[in-house]
């Protein structure tokens, strides 16, 4: 009886240590993911509001670009970029809060961060489109990206999609392996009873 209780205490202590390690890894991954999302949001906002206008109209300063666009009745829709930044920052904080939960695993923290980064590309496009059109209409340029920094954002979103896909495949393989192991254990127990 005493050995049983010591074994139980030992297994509980081991589970507690494993859970603490798992939570620490989840917190580190969640924190890194949150920082990446914040960097993504900052680069996206900088790209739309500063870098792209300066690259599209290189012969003017940024205040001149904003002033001339407004004079041409093509004011920049900065509200879309603010919404992009606020929503992205809120999702970043949410990702960190999920990581801080005691039951969060590193996979959950990573998946949440990758999902937010993956969705950053369509959100960036949504935020940059009105200002790109204002630049195109106000200055007679194309509405496309002129500075090239958006390529970094699209590559990050693509990599996040691939990482999320790999996490899903890994989770599926782990579930299949557990299922096979459970069936073998059941089959072994029925053979040993016979």
């Amino acid at each position: 009886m005493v050995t049983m209780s010591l074994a139980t205490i030992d297994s509980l202590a081991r589970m507690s240590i494993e859970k603490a390690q798992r939570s620490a890894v989840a917190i580190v991954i969640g924190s890194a993911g949150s920082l990446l999302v914040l960097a993504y949001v900052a680069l996206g906002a900088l790209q739309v509001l500063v870098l792209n206008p300066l690259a599209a109209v290189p012969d003017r300063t940024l205040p001149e670009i904003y002033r001339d666009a407004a004079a041409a009745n093509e004011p920049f829709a900065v509200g879309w970029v603010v919404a992009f930044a606020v929503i992205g920052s809120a999702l970043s904080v949410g990702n960190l809060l999920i990581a801080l939960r005691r039951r969060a695993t590193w996979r959950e923290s990573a998946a949440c961060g990758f999902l937010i980064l993956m969705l950053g590309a369509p959100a960036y496009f949504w935020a940059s489109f009105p200002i790109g059109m204002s630049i195109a209409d106000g200055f007679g340029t194309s509405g496309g990206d002129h500075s090239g920094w958006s390529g970094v954002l699209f590559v990050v979103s693509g990599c996040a999609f691939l990482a999320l896909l790999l996490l899903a495949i890994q989770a599926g393989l782990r579930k299949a392996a557990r299922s096979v192991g459970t069936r073998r254990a059941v089959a072994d127990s029925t053979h040993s009873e016979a």
Side-chain angles (χ1 to χ4, degrees):
M1 191 74 149
V2 171
T3 357
M4 191 94 133
S5 64
L6 288 176
T8 304
I9 291 171
D10 182 50
S11 77
L12 287 174
R14 232 178 297 134
M15 285 177 16
S16 165
I17 290 170
E18 288 171 7
K19 186 174 182 177
Q21 289 172 342
R22 183 179 70 203
S23 295
V25 171
I27 290 169
V28 168
I29 289 175
S31 300
S34 293
L35 290 174
L36 278 173
V37 169
L38 286 175
Y40 190 101
V41 166
L43 179 59
L46 182 68
Q47 162 67 10
V48 173
L49 297 174
V50 178
L51 300 175
N52 197 46
L54 287 173
V57 191
D59 58 334
R60 293 187 175 104
T61 65
L62 193 61
E64 289 173 341
I65 294 170
Y66 276 78
R67 185 189 64 236
D68 293 347
N73 202 23
E74 294 293 338
F76 288 177
V78 177
W80 294 102
V81 180
V82 171
F84 166 77
V86 168
I87 292 170
S89 299
L91 289 173
S92 171
V93 170
N95 181 36
L96 184 59
L97 292 176
I98 287 172
L100 292 173
R101 281 189 359 201
R102 293 194 67 77
R103 293 183 310 260
T105 65
W106 71 267
R107 284 180 189 81
E108 293 167 342
S109 294
C112 188
F114 289 142
L115 180 64
I116 296 167
L117 287 171
M118 181 187 78
L119 295 175
Y124 166 78
F125 180 78
W126 168 76
S128 68
F129 187 80
I131 292 180
M133 289 308 297
S134 292
I135 291 171
D137 293 342
F139 300 99
T141 65
S142 71
D145 205 16
H146 298 277
S147 75
W149 280 100
S150 67
V152 173
L153 299 173
F154 290 119
V155 166
V156 168
S157 289
C159 290
F161 170 73
L162 291 176
L164 197 57
L165 187 63
L166 289 175
L167 275 177
I169 290 170
Q170 181 195 31
L173 291 174
R174 290 183 73 214
K175 185 176 181 180
R178 266 190 258 125
S179 175
V180 168
T182 303
R183 278 189 260 145
R184 281 189 183 156
V186 169
D188 289 345
S189 68
T190 55
H191 289 312
S192 64
E193 290 175 4

